Amino acid sequence: MNEVISTLIAGVLGLALGIVGVIAFRLSQARSSKLPQVDEPVLPEGAAAVLSVIGRAFVILDDVDGVVRANPASYAYGLVRGHTLVHNELLSLVRQVRADGVIAESQYELQRSTLGAGQLIVHVRVAPLGDEYILLLADDRTEITRTEAMRNDFVANVSHELKTPVGAIGLLAEAITEAADDPKAVRRFSTRMDKESRRLAALVQDIIELSRLQASDAIVQGQEVNIDSVVAEAVDRSHLIAEEKGITITVGGHLEEPILGDADLLMTAIRNLIDNAIRYSPEHTTVGVGIRQRDGYAQISVTDQGPGISPEEQERVFERFYRVDSARSRQTGGTGLGLSIVKHVLANHGGEVSLWSQPGHGSTFTLRLPLADEEPATSNALAGQTMKERTIEASASDREGGRR
């Protein structure tokens, strides 16, 4: 009997709760129907289709500067966070266009985030969109601007470097003419002229070589290269300047596995390192060249007994035209481009160049190149890059390289 009563009571309670739930749902619907309806932003006809294929970051703002629509690129650039346009410079331009209705454009250098990590150079165009909205278009000009700056810097440096030997040759030619009756003076001036002309020829050749390396087709198709043969040729081409200073070049080790690349470019890079070592080594010393395989890479090291390089200077020796000792470099005939060429050759081959040096204890430059039949973990990402991307990376990482 008690069980029957309990069951009836539970049924009544369940029914009551169900009725209460239905009443609450109906009241909620009635209350919702009285709220104002908020429409989605209505863009002018055809605007959405155009924006979807425009290929630039875009942001649409309402009359209170709220972001009503933005594409993923605008978030990736850090222009928009949530429903807010982040940068005050852009907000000021938007308000100016809203006030006068005239299309405006400008270029800004902005931070990608509030943490200040990374700079972004954007060209912005702001225009009214219909009667209610403002359209902001942004184009990333960071890489273009940096490339133009590097090009201008390079042209200025080249002009300065060419002016010195060209001016010296002109003065020496004039001196020879005036000293025509003095054979000793003529020989002295002609010797100096020959030195300056060779320096000018080397500089022009290095400029041509560096320009070729920065072209997107620097290495169209890599071929198997025997490192031992490349090193032997580089050493052979450096024997003349080594003999002039009584310097011995010793080669140790060998590598049977080939690498993929351009033999001429690799020979140029290794020869530049050897020439650099000879120029900065004291007379009657030794320059060592080591070859070995390690962790799926070919390693070629060039060691000198020169004055060494301080830690502060080591970060800059690969910059174009940078010299640790400018006076000494000019005296030895350095062009200021040798180490930059080395860096670009290695970048184009998916490798790297590193430096160990200590003042008073010489320097060692080491080239690391992936072997043809190996797949080192660190080279997988490089394998997916185009030649142009690797060259741009090398350019962006330095402030435009050079020799000590």
Side-chain angles (χ1 to χ4, degrees):
M1 185 66 180
N2 290 335
E3 292 181 1
V4 174
I5 293 173
S6 298
T7 302
L8 290 173
I9 292 173
V12 171
L13 288 175
L15 180 62
L17 289 173
I19 293 172
V20 170
V22 171
I23 294 172
F25 176 72
R26 295 290 175 83
L27 289 174
S28 175
Q29 279 189 322
R31 192 177 294 113
S32 298
S33 64
K34 296 178 181 179
L35 294 175
Q37 297 294 322
V38 179
D39 296 330
E40 285 291 316
V42 179
L43 302 181
E45 185 178 354
V50 172
L51 290 173
S52 66
V53 297
I54 201 168
R56 300 170 69 181
F58 72 81
V59 183
I60 300 174
L61 301 103
D62 58 21
D63 55 0
V64 292
D65 297 333
V67 175
V68 296
R69 186 170 298 183
N71 67 345
S74 63
Y75 287 93
Y77 292 168
L79 304 181
V80 178
R81 188 162 50 252
H83 295 283
T84 304
L85 191 63
V86 174
H87 302 284
N88 291 328
E89 302 95 321
L90 302 184
L91 282 171
S92 297
L93 191 62
V94 167
R95 290 164 184 167
Q96 173 190 323
V97 172
R98 183 182 294 112
D100 56 29
V102 178
I103 297 173
E105 57 184 305
S106 186
Q107 185 160 298
Y108 300 96
E109 184 173 344
L110 308 172
Q111 291 183 349
R112 283 185 179 270
S113 70
T114 55
L115 298 177
Q119 297 294 315
L120 179 75
I121 299 173
V122 290
H123 181 267
V124 176
R125 184 178 178 87
V126 180
L129 185 63
D131 298 328
E132 303 177 53
Y133 304 110
I134 298 293
L135 171 65
L136 183 149
L137 297 173
D139 189 22
D140 184 3
R141 298 290 182 89
T142 307
E143 193 59 47
I144 294 174
T145 304
R146 287 176 180 168
T147 301
E148 289 177 352
M150 289 189 293
R151 184 185 298 114
N152 293 337
D153 189 39
F154 180 63
V155 170
N157 282 328
V158 166
S159 301
H160 175 74
E161 294 292 331
L162 289 174
K163 183 169 62 177
T164 302
V166 169
I169 290 171
L171 291 174
L172 289 168
E174 184 179 339
I176 289 173
T177 302
E178 294 177 355
D181 297 330
D182 185 351
K184 289 185 178 180
V186 169
R187 281 195 298 271
R188 185 171 69 253
F189 292 141
S190 62
T191 299
R192 291 182 58 187
M193 181 182 287
D194 178 65
K195 181 179 179 180
E196 291 296 336
S197 65
R198 283 190 281 114
R199 179 184 167 198
L200 179 60
L203 179 58
V204 170
Q205 182 59 41
D206 279 354
I207 292 171
I208 293 171
E209 194 72 34
L210 189 59
S211 299
R212 185 167 76 92
L213 282 169
Q214 291 184 300
S216 59
D217 59 348
I219 303 174
V220 177
Q221 183 176 1
Q223 298 179 347
E224 288 194 351
V225 176
N226 182 279
I227 286 296
D228 290 354
S229 300
V230 169
V231 170
E233 184 176 355
V235 170
D236 184 63
R237 295 195 183 191
S238 301
H239 263 308
L240 184 60
I241 62 171
E243 289 176 356
E244 291 175 357
K245 296 183 67 175
I247 289 176
T248 302
I249 306 174
T250 63
V251 179
H254 68 93
L255 191 68
E256 296 180 357
E257 292 82 356
I259 68 165
L260 289 177
D262 185 303
D264 290 336
L265 290 179
L266 291 171
M267 189 279 299
T268 298
I270 296 169
R271 191 200 69 212
N272 281 352
L273 289 182
I274 296 173
D275 287 353
N276 198 58
I278 294 170
R279 293 181 192 281
Y280 287 89
S281 292
E283 293 183 354
H284 309 295
T285 57
T286 300
V287 168
V289 181
I291 308 169
R292 67 171 177 169
Q293 174 183 342
R294 185 174 182 180
D295 300 329
Y297 285 92
Q299 284 193 185
I300 304 100
S301 299
V302 178
T303 302
D304 63 50
Q305 299 178 35
I309 308 170
S310 67
E312 297 78 18
E313 304 286 352
Q314 290 179 28
E315 297 295 326
R316 301 193 61 190
V317 293
F318 294 98
E319 295 178 6
R320 294 177 187 169
F321 299 112
Y322 182 79
R323 297 176 175 92
V324 175
D325 186 342
S326 297
R328 183 174 182 183
S329 182
R330 293 181 194 279
Q331 186 178 13
T332 58
T335 65
L337 290 172
L339 293 182
S340 180
I341 289 173
V342 172
K343 184 172 183 175
H344 281 277
V345 169
L346 268 291
N348 281 358
H349 284 79
E352 62 180 4
V353 55
S354 60
L355 165 63
W356 176 93
S357 186
Q358 188 174 351
H361 293 82
S363 305
T364 298
F365 289 85
T366 302
L367 310 181
R368 298 177 74 239
L369 294 157
L371 296 172
D373 57 349
E374 297 286 344
E375 291 288 341
T378 54
S379 69
N380 288 342
L382 288 168
Q385 291 180 310
T386 64
M387 197 64 60
K388 183 175 181 181
E389 288 169 341
R390 292 201 293 269
T391 303
I392 290 175
E393 276 191 5
S395 299
S397 67
D398 57 10
R399 172 105 173 102
E400 295 303 282
R403 181 183 297 222
R404 287 191 278 160

